[in-house]
Amino acid sequence: MTPQPKTASDPGAPVLVAVGHGSRDPRARAALARLLDRVRELRPGLDARLAHIELNAPLLDDTLAELAAAGGRDAVLVPLLFAPGHHVTHDLPAALAAAPALRARVADPLGAHPLLVEALADRLAEAGWTSGDGAGVVLASAGSRDPRSGAVTRRIAALLGERLGGVPVVPAYASAAAPTVPDAVRALTARGRHRIAVASCFTAPGLFATRAAADAPWIASDPLGAHPALARLVLHRYDRARATLPVRELAAV
């Protein structure tokens, strides 16, 4: 059963800091702000803040410094990223280490979860997806050199294929890993698939999402943005981290 977010206000709850990568595309910050608005709607009274690793304000370091200066606050950092990689395993713990006065922990990345798959399938449907003979999907994501990241992305692809009724779904990457989206399209074409959609496994618009969509031979879904299932997944990761990690110790990812 898919976990349901709490709806009651909890004034003692840790601050939820949703951490996006950051982008030069002005649409990216707006999309993540709308996602945080939906998180707040699901959890009235929760102090939920958006921060970025780079490129966009507020930066994560500034947000953590502000929380530390306020004193007495706990925080949970929820990466708006899909799999382990340098940002999750290095950048976020380093940011916490630079704010030793803050009691905080890092939640798991969004990962291969049914709520993520629900959002991906819905975005495909919005783009005009229909199953049938010759259909195939390329699951486009950012990519990472961390082998754990590739394993998670392959699992997401498998779950999305099951959700779509057994349609083949091939993971592809915008950087740092193979195959690329064009390579994945060619692989599906070689398997006799002539209606190939690109499922955008990105939280917000940006360079990678734009490039992936441009390589779609048929349709490409929009980034996940403020999809209700993604907001529920953010809260699910927050709740798990809050429940399982020590309140007064830094998280080890």
Side-chain angles (χ1 to χ4, degrees), residues 101-114:
L102 180 67
R103 295 191 298 270
R105 67 226 80 155
V106 178
D108 289 335
L110 300 173
H113 192 278

Side-chain angles (χ1 to χ4, degrees), residues 194-207:
H194 57 273
R195 294 170 56 249
I196 300 172
V198 169
S200 298
C201 195
F202 303 99
T203 53
L207 179 62

Side-chain angles (χ1 to χ4, degrees), residues 115-126:
L115 287 169
L116 175 60
V117 175
E118 177 183 337
L120 288 166
D122 282 356
R123 289 288 188 247
L124 277 173
E126 292 166 3

Side-chain angles (χ1 to χ4, degrees), residues 28-52:
R29 188 184 185 286
L32 296 186
R34 289 192 294 272
L35 174 62
L36 264 290
D37 286 342
R38 193 174 290 276
V39 167
R40 297 183 192 101
E41 291 170 0
L42 290 171
R43 189 70 58 85
L46 177 64
D47 188 348
R49 308 187 188 192
L50 176 62
H52 303 87

Side-chain angles (χ1 to χ4, degrees), residues 124-125 127-138 164 167 185 193-198 212-221:
L124 277 173
W129 167 263
T130 55
S131 59
D133 292 342
V137 174
V138 174
L164 298 176
V167 170
V185 169
R193 302 289 163 168
H194 57 273
R195 294 170 56 249
I196 300 172
V198 169
D215 290 327
W218 175 32
I219 58 172
S221 62

Side-chain angles (χ1 to χ4, degrees), residues 181-194:
V181 172
D183 288 342
V185 169
R186 284 190 286 270
L188 283 169
T189 301
R191 294 166 60 180
R193 302 289 163 168
H194 57 273

